[in-house]
Amino acid sequence: MNNIILLKKMPTMKKGKIESMECTGSVRRRLLDLGLVNNSYITPILNSPSKGLRAFDIRGTLIAIRDEDTSLISVIF
């Protein structure tokens, strides 16, 4: 675990650790409320057929995040 990439580019079924989030405002608040905080582990599980959403396992919960939001989150894997 030493590569830092955007969550959007993280391979499916590979576990990573959230390094930082560049989003602000209500988007940041929503992601924090869902458990996306620094040093939390996250695993991409599914890709949407429409390519606009991805599903992630975060703390045992499956959540969907828009691609535009995942491009603002850096992870180490």
Side-chain angles (χ1 to χ4, degrees):
M1 268 196 177
N2 56 5
N3 297 323
I4 297 177
I5 62 170
L6 294 177
L7 184 58
K8 181 177 183 173
K9 297 182 183 213
M10 195 166 162
T12 304
M13 303 307 287
K14 298 288 184 181
K15 184 183 255 187
K17 187 166 68 169
I18 297 174
E19 175 69 17
S20 65
M21 293 194 312
E22 301 300 322
C23 48
T24 59
S26 62
V27 171
R28 182 176 180 84
R29 175 81 289 175
R30 181 177 60 89
L31 294 175
L32 290 172
D33 289 344
L34 290 171
L36 275 79
V37 295
N38 288 353
N39 298 316
S40 292
Y41 288 97
I42 188 166
T43 307
I45 303 294
L46 298 168
N47 293 321
S48 166
S50 67
K51 306 274 187 212
L53 289 171
R54 289 184 82 189
F56 297 90
D57 179 345
I58 179 87
R59 299 179 182 198
T61 302
L62 193 63
I63 60 168
I65 305 174
R66 295 179 297 201
D67 281 346
E68 61 194 56
D69 296 334
T70 61
S71 64
L72 300 172
I73 301 169
S74 298
V75 287
I76 300 172
F77 87 105

